[in-house]
RNA sequence: GGGGAGAUACCAAAGUGGCCAACUGGGGCAGACUGUAAAUCUGUUGGCUGACGCCUUCGGAGGUUCGAAUCCUCCUCUCCCCA
């Protein structure tokens, strides 16, 4: 059997965590998290991390490995995961990766070009320019420095425009010149499993989970992080709505309403993202046996062809 | 019982004779996305159509008008105030 990475994808609250742990127990293997927020050790309740028992049952990687003050990126994730896998495949022929961060997942599936980390001062400067003067000046500069990228960026999207610029300004080269979509050859196989629920049911689960987070003390957790609210890691559903409440912009009921709504929106974006993978095979999160059978059948097929 | 206000699309709410299939917000739906991505951005939301366009809408029934969500009459319902 060739080394195999089974990726469990699906929108938030679709049951990825529980299912992955059951699968990991079945195969006696380990789990790599693919979740941009569960990496931060300062956040727990609002990111729906696996609980202590779950973490003790199965060993998880890339959870609590960062501080909210740290720099991180999809490229670093790709480096971290490929490094980890090299090591883990010595112990297991099958590894599970679970999580909802589409871009990170994509960095593993399709690879991601090697682009230098941006200079943090340049990043800050661009943000300040944007806040002060808006997008027009930045767009004009981007058109100069990288006409090819300028031609296809979404010019309404400040994040995209600033990203292009920060690379141009940091490296002295055009952003486009780095974005070559270099094909990757992984020395392992990937099986993509998507979890799917009727929309209505998914939304119910989301609403319920938010209520549970509140019961577990999300407000307290957010309160502790409030002084750092400007950090990007804290620009996260469940936290920023509470920060607004602390600022007196909303009351508690409204904050909860918004957390639920924004989580639903987030789930929808994840579903849309996953649609880009025609090879993704969808299952109901309760379909444990079907999933096992499906994966076994694929692996058996590969074994035969070897 | 008397007086007043109002009924608009999934919800809220503008519109007060033609520019209205109807502002706006919410909610929904759909999409883009190679770097802090739980982020950031876009489209759409009466029906049919690829499109031109056509059809049915603004509580109900009539009426006035070349033309009505908008004016008139009656009816139904809701809300508020006084009793």
């Amino acid at each position: 059997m060739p080394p195999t990475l089974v990726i469990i994808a699906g929108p938030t609250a679709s049951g990825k965590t529980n299912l992955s742990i059951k699968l990991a127990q079945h195969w006696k293997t380990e789990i790599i998290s693919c979740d941009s927020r569960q990496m931060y050790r300062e956040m727990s309740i609002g990111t729906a991390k696996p609980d202590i028992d779950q973490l003790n049952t199965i060993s998880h990687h890339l959870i609590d490995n960062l501080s909210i003050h740290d720099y991180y990126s999809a490229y670093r994730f790709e480096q971290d995961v490929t490094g980890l896998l090299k090591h883990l495949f010595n112990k297991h022929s099958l590894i599970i990766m679970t999580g909802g961060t589409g871009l990170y997942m994509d960095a593993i599936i399709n690879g991601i070009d090697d682009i230098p980390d941006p200079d943090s001062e340049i990043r800050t400067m661009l943000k300040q320019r944007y806040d002060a003067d808006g997008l027009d000046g930045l767009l004009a500069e981007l058109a100069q420095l990288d006409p090819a990228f300028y031609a296809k960026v979404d010019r309404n999207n400040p994040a995209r425009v600033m990203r292009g610029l920060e690379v141009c300004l940091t490296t002295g080269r055009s952003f486009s010149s780095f974005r070559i979509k270099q094909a990757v050859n992984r020395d392992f196989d990937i099986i993509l499993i998507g979890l799917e629920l009727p929309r209505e049911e998914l939304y119910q689960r989301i609403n319920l989970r938010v209520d549970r987070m509140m019961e577990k003390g999300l407000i307290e957790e957010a309160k502790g992080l409030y002084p750092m609210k400007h950090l990007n890691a804290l620009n996260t559903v469940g936290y920023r709505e509470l920060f607004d409440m602390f600022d007196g912009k909303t009351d508690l009921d409204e904050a909860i309403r918004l957390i639920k709504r924004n989580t639903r929106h987030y789930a929808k974006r994840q579903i849309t993202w996953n649609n880009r993978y025609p090879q993704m095979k969808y299952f109901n999160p309760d379909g444990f046996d079907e999933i096992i059978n499906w994966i076994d059948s694929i692996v058996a097929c590969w074994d035969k062809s070897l």
Side-chain angles (χ1 to χ4, degrees):
Chain A
M1 166 173 182
T4 302
L5 180 67
V6 173
I7 299 182
I8 310 293
T12 190
S14 60
K16 295 187 293 294
T17 301
N18 281 330
L19 177 74
S20 312
I21 288 171
K22 278 166 71 183
L23 292 174
Q25 285 174 322
H26 173 82
W27 283 304
K28 300 184 172 44
T29 186
E30 306 181 26
I31 294 176
I32 296 176
S33 167
C34 176
D35 185 304
S36 70
R37 297 294 128 125
Q38 292 184 359
M39 299 181 128
Y40 297 109
R41 49 181 161 266
E42 293 90 341
M43 299 194 271
S44 287
I45 298 172
T47 58
K49 270 179 203 167
D51 60 38
I52 307 282
D53 288 344
Q54 293 174 318
L55 292 174
N56 286 338
T57 310
I58 291 293
S59 77
H60 282 70
H61 302 271
L62 301 185
I63 285 186
D64 287 341
N65 57 313
L66 291 178
S67 158
I68 53 176
H69 300 279
D70 293 337
Y71 171 83
Y72 204 69
S73 72
Y75 180 70
R76 291 199 178 182
F77 179 79
E78 194 260 359
Q79 299 286 294
D80 286 347
V81 170
T82 48
L84 257 173
L85 284 175
K86 209 159 278 171
H87 165 72
L88 290 174
F89 278 133
N90 288 330
K91 294 196 276 177
H92 310 281
S93 58
L94 185 153
I95 304 290
I96 293 167
M97 185 167 97
T98 327
T101 304
L103 180 63
Y104 288 11
M105 179 169 75
D106 197 67
I108 305 307
I109 297 171
N110 293 316
I112 186 163
D113 291 322
D114 185 358
I115 304 173
D117 285 345
D119 181 283
S120 69
E121 281 175 31
I122 289 176
R123 186 171 263 201
T124 308
M125 179 272 288
L126 288 170
K127 181 75 171 61
Q128 283 168 352
R129 275 178 58 187
Y130 171 65
D131 289 341
D133 305 323
L135 208 50
D136 290 350
L138 299 176
L139 275 170
E141 189 168 353
L142 183 64
Q144 281 264 305
L145 296 176
D146 191 345
F149 182 64
Y150 177 80
K152 57 180 171 187
V153 243
D154 174 359
R155 289 176 214 158
N156 285 310
N157 192 330
R160 295 276 132 70
V161 172
M162 287 191 275
R163 159 99 271 245
L165 270 179
E166 74 178 11
V167 173
C168 295
L169 294 173
T170 298
T171 64
R173 278 172 57 184
S174 75
F175 182 38
S176 309
S177 68
F178 291 102
R179 300 206 327 159
I180 51 179
K181 289 193 188 284
Q182 180 70 52
V184 283
N185 275 311
R186 300 293 184 205
D187 48 10
F188 51 86
D189 290 307
I190 294 178
I191 297 176
L192 271 179
I193 302 293
L195 299 188
E196 195 172 43
L197 281 169
R199 193 63 58 89
E200 205 175 309
E201 197 181 330
L202 177 66
Y203 286 179
Q204 264 175 13
R205 291 173 67 137
I206 288 173
N207 294 162
L208 218 126
R209 194 172 71 175
V210 172
D211 291 335
R212 286 221 193 92
M213 286 177 178
M214 297 307 290
E215 287 162 18
K216 283 189 194 161
L218 183 57
I219 293 181
E220 284 311 305
E221 188 173 285
K223 229 173 236 165
L225 297 169
Y226 180 74
M228 279 85 80
K229 68 170 180 164
H230 61 281
L231 294 174
N232 180 78
L234 293 176
N235 184 190
T236 297
V237 175
Y239 295 86
R240 58 177 176 188
E241 295 84 356
L242 291 175
F243 296 155
D244 281 346
M245 180 179 84
F246 300 151
D247 287 334
K249 291 183 199 155
T250 56
D251 60 22
L252 180 60
D253 286 347
E254 178 67 358
I256 293 174
R257 204 202 110 235
L258 290 173
I259 292 173
K260 290 176 178 174
R261 183 200 60 185
N262 292 339
T263 305
R264 294 194 295 268
H265 289 350
Y266 169 49
K268 170 59 178 105
R269 272 178 272 133
Q270 293 175 299
I271 291 168
T272 300
W273 181 282
N274 290 159
N275 285 153
R276 71 176 52 208
Y277 306 110
Q279 72 273 39
M280 189 175 282
K281 173 83 173 171
Y282 287 92
F283 294 89
N284 185 285
D286 293 329
F288 179 75
D289 293 334
E290 292 88 88
I291 293 171
I292 301 259
N293 289 339
W294 165 255
I295 292 171
D296 285 346
S297 71
I298 293 184
V299 170
C301 194
W302 284 340
D303 284 344
K304 237 177 257 170
S305 66
L306 280 180

